[in-house]
Amino acid sequence: MEAFFYQGSASRIAFGAGQLAQLPQELDLLGVRRALVLTTPGQRVLGERVAALLGERSVGVYAEAVMHVPVDVAQAARNEAQRLCADGYVAVGGGSTIGLGKAIALESAQPIIAVPTTYAGSEVTPIYGLTEGRLKRTGRDARVLPKTVLYDPELTLTLPTTESAASGINAMAHAVEALYSQDANPVISLMAEESIRALAQALPQVVRNPDDIDARSRALYGAWLAGICLGTVGMALHHKLCHTLGGTFNLPHAQTHAVMLPHTAHYNQHAAPEALTRVARALGGTEAGQVGELLFELNCKLGIPADLHDIGMPETGIDEAATLACANPYANPAPIDYDRIRVLLVRAYRGEVPA
Ligand code: NAD
C-alpha cells in the first residue's frame, strides 16, 4: 500500500430533513449573537424566513450574492456587515452565497454557518474565489471554512430539476477527480465512490419526482461527500477546463461541469484505470473504458444539455480554451496534450459521445 496524508475537515455537520430548526442552537454553540443572513436576490424570501427563525440573533438579510464573488460585491457586503456590527454569518444558498460568506470571513475571520441549497459543495471546503474583471483568483484559507454546516434536504425541494441535475453532476465531478488526484488517499477514495453511487442513484429520482425527500436527502448526502473530496485533495484536468471555460466565456458553472465530465473522465481512462474502474462500478458498470459513455448516458437521462454550444460557448472559443487549458495545467493522470484537448472540446461543443 502506498504512503499517504489525510487531513480531516474541522466542520461540524448536522444533516437531515428539518435540521434548519437547529440553527439558533448552532449559533449559540459558536457564540454568535449578531448574525447577518446572506443569500442571493432570488432566495431573499428564504433568507427572511431564516432571519425570522433567529429572532434577536439576526441583524438582517443581505441578499446580494452573485456568481463568482465580484470584488465590489464582496467589499459592499463587508461594509454592510461592519455597519451592522455582525459577529457571524448564516450563508443560506448555493456556492455563490457561501462564496460571499467566505469573502467576508477571509478578512474578518468571523464564523460562518452554511446552509447549502444546491449540491456545489463549497460549504465544506477552505477554498475561496474572488473575481475582478474576467479574472477569478482562488485560494485556500482555513478562516473561510464554515464552522458548521446544516444540511436540510427540505431546502433543496425548490431547486428546479434542471438545476438539481446539473448541480448534482457538478458534485460528482469533485468525487471523480478525487479518485485519480495526485494526493488521493484511501479515506477520500471511499467517500468519492460512495458519493458517485449516491448521486447516480438519487438524481434520476429527483428529476422524476422533485418532491421525493428521500431522493433529495441521498443527493445532498452525495454532494456533502463530494464537497469533502474537493476540499481535501487536488483536482485535475476537469476542474481546470471548467474553470477556464466558465471564466473566459461566462458559462453557467454547474452546467459546464455537467457537460464536460463525460469527456474529461474519458480522457483519463487509460492513465488512471483503477480509479476509473471504481467510478464505473459506482455508476453500475464494470470497466474504466465505460465511464465516458456511462456519464454521457446519465446526463441524457437527467435532461442535461449535451453540448457546450447549448450553454453559450462560442465555436470560435475552442482554440482559445484549448490553449488556456494547456497553460499551467493542474496535475493530471494523462499528459495534457493540446491536440487531444482540442478534440475533447470539439466533441463537447458538438454534444458527441466521448470517444
Ligand atoms: P449558485 O449559488 O449561483 O445558485 C444558482 C441559482 O440557484 C441562484 O440564482 C440561486 O439563487 C438559486 N438557488 C440556489 N438554491 C436554490 C434552491 N434550493 N431553490 C431555488 N433556487 C435556488 O450556484 P452553485 O452552482 O451552487 O454555485 C456556483 C458558485 O459556487 C460558482 O461561483 C463556483 O465557482 C462556486 N463554488 C465554489 C466552491 C468552493 O469550494 N469554493 C465549490 C463549488 C462551487
Side-chain angles (χ1 to χ4, degrees), residues 184-229:
N185 68 65
V187 179
I188 289 298
S189 295
L190 280 175
M191 291 188 184
E193 204 173 326
E194 170 75 353
S195 162
I196 296 165
R197 189 167 285 116
L199 288 163
Q201 283 172 359
L203 293 176
Q205 294 169 10
V206 165
V207 167
R208 262 197 310 276
N209 179 9
D211 295 332
D212 180 341
I213 195 70
D214 286 334
R216 288 286 190 180
S217 301
R218 196 146 175 75
L220 197 57
Y221 164 69
W224 166 49
L225 296 175
I228 295 176
C229 293

Side-chain angles (χ1 to χ4, degrees), residues 237-275:
L237 170 69
H238 173 83
H239 281 74
K240 170 74 183 187
L241 262 178
C242 292
H243 195 107
T244 301
L245 291 169
T248 312
F249 307 108
N250 198 24
L251 305 186
H253 176 82
Q255 284 79 358
T256 306
H257 274 269
V259 172
M260 292 305 292
L261 187 61
H263 300 276
T264 51
H266 178 81
Y267 187 96
N268 279 321
Q269 64 174 349
H270 296 303
E274 221 177 285

Side-chain angles (χ1 to χ4, degrees), residues 17-33:
Q19 282 287 15
L20 182 64
Q22 295 303 315
L23 189 55
Q25 290 86 318
E26 293 297 330
L27 277 181
D28 287 346
L29 283 177
L30 291 173
V32 174
R33 305 211 190 300

Side-chain angles (χ1 to χ4, degrees), residues 312-351:
M313 165 98 176
E315 190 167 8
T316 49
I318 290 175
D319 287 327
E320 185 186 359
T323 305
L324 288 171
C326 294
N328 308 316
Y330 296 177
N332 187 66
I336 302 298
D337 173 81
Y338 177 86
D339 292 334
R340 278 193 73 198
I341 298 282
R342 195 178 182 287
V343 169
L344 181 162
L345 283 165
V346 168
R347 295 192 80 88
Y349 179 82
R350 294 184 184 150

Side-chain angles (χ1 to χ4, degrees), residues 40 43 68 94-96 117-118 120 122 125 127 136 155 158-159 253:
T40 55
Q43 291 181 286
H68 301 319
S96 298
T117 62
T118 70
S122 177
T125 83
I127 304 165
K136 183 165 178 179
L155 302 180
T158 49
L159 191 64
H253 176 82

